[in-house]
Amino acid sequence: MRNDARGGVDEPRMEAICEGPNVDPEVFRSILARVGDKWSMMLIGMLQEGPRRFSELKSMTPGISSRMLTQTLRQLERDGLVEREMFAEIPPRVEYQVTPLGLSLVPAVLALAEWAATHTAEIAANRDAYDAAAE
Amino acid sequence: MRNDARGGVDEPRMEAICEGPNVDPEVFRSILARVGDKWSMMLIGMLQEGPRRFSELKSMTPGISSRMLTQTLRQLERDGLVEREMFAEIPPRVEYQVTPLGLSLVPAVLALAEWAATHTAEIAANRDAYDAAAE
DNA sequence: CTGAATCCTCACGGATACTG
DNA sequence: CAGTATCCGTGAGGATTCAG
């Protein structure tokens, strides 16, 4: 299959994938939205290194509130990207880890991250130029 | 330091990219947000095939309003992902096309789209199972 | 035809306080 | 420690109307 046909001819068409017969566009868009939301990918990134506790994730993620941490983890768990394990101890301990499914998402997001890293400066410059021209 | 998690193989770490020295985390997150928003990637996908007029894009994109189409195109233009060309005609004609920068984003998004296509059913099943267990 | 302007709703997400 | 409950500001984004 041709994944890297950026010569100009016969490039893969996005709609063929986004709106293909076996892809619910709503589910697809909800996946894109998940990737784009404020904390999900950051959390997946931290869990890559191994299981983490709630409080660890909280302190590793500057700016996040308990509320958003819980909420984001619940969504990731619902999608099967993250697993939650509770230990009946005192004080309570809960560990989160990425599932194989969640792990399989990483390379794709990483590709996006690499693109962003490569083009951040260029985009910032474009924004500045655009804003300057509009004043 | 624990890179021992899974596979054992020296996988790329997301923070190393997301929070690297030459990457503004805010800009990076704004890029992820752009990818995740409701219309941007859909529009990039349509423009892949060639330049399109405003009205073409509008009719090709079910559910979008003029307002959101304009707004999304402006943001893409500001980032330098899309170019806008106005023709001084009557009636007015405006054409949009992806820039090389915008085109360079496509493979990364496509990787995500392929992941989504592959795992849509699995995720939908996970959601159902999760919701069923919670009732 | 290509928008700009306006209004309006609602969900994202932050702050704070409280619980088992 | 690991959340839940509540309040609330802000902004995304839809509907509608008007303009060049």
Side-chain angles (χ1 to χ4, degrees), chain B residues 38-53:
Chain B
K38 199 166 182 182
W39 305 110
S40 290
M41 290 309 113
M42 202 168 302
L43 289 175
I44 295 272
M46 323 210 121
L47 289 173
Q48 256 192 288
E49 303 166 24
R52 294 287 185 188
R53 305 183 53 168

Side-chain angles (χ1 to χ4, degrees), chain A residues 37-39 65 67-68 92:
Chain A
D37 81 15
K38 199 167 182 182
W39 305 110
S65 63
R67 178 178 140 76
M68 287 317 296

Side-chain angles (χ1 to χ4, degrees), chain B residues 5-59:
Chain B
R6 52 211 85 245
V9 236
D10 194 31
E11 298 191 357
R13 302 194 23 196
M14 202 174 303
E15 312 92 66
I17 293 173
C18 305
E19 300 172 357
N22 54 348
V23 179
D24 182 347
E26 286 184 36
V27 176
F28 171 66
R29 199 145 66 176
S30 77
I31 292 171
L32 270 197
R34 173 91 354 112
V35 170
D37 81 15
K38 199 166 182 182
W39 305 110
S40 290
M41 290 309 113
M42 202 168 302
L43 289 175
I44 295 272
M46 323 210 121
L47 289 173
Q48 256 192 288
E49 303 166 24
R52 294 287 185 188
R53 305 183 53 168
F54 185 88
S55 55
E56 286 180 302
L57 291 173
K58 185 158 155 71
S59 63

Side-chain angles (χ1 to χ4, degrees), chain B residues 2 4 17 20-21 23 29-30 32 39-40 45 50 52 68 70 82 89-90 92 95 102 104-105 108 129-130 133:
Chain B
R2 35 202 291 236
D4 53 324
I17 293 173
V23 179
R29 199 145 66 176
S30 77
L32 270 197
W39 305 110
S40 290
R52 294 287 185 188
M68 288 316 297
T70 301
V82 156
E89 301 174 354
I90 293 181
E95 282 190 354
S104 74
L105 214 197
Y130 185 92

Side-chain angles (χ1 to χ4, degrees), chain A residues 71-89:
Chain A
Q71 193 172 105
T72 306
L73 286 170
R74 287 285 185 281
Q75 289 171 342
L76 293 173
E77 191 193 357
R78 186 169 105 105
D79 287 352
L81 302 176
V82 156
E83 246 176 27
R84 179 175 184 268
E85 189 176 5
M86 260 192 70
F87 300 89
E89 301 173 355

Side-chain angles (χ1 to χ4, degrees), chain B residues 53 55 70 74 84 94 96:
Chain B
R53 305 183 53 168
S55 55
T70 301
R74 287 285 185 279
R84 179 175 185 269
V94 177
Y96 294 89

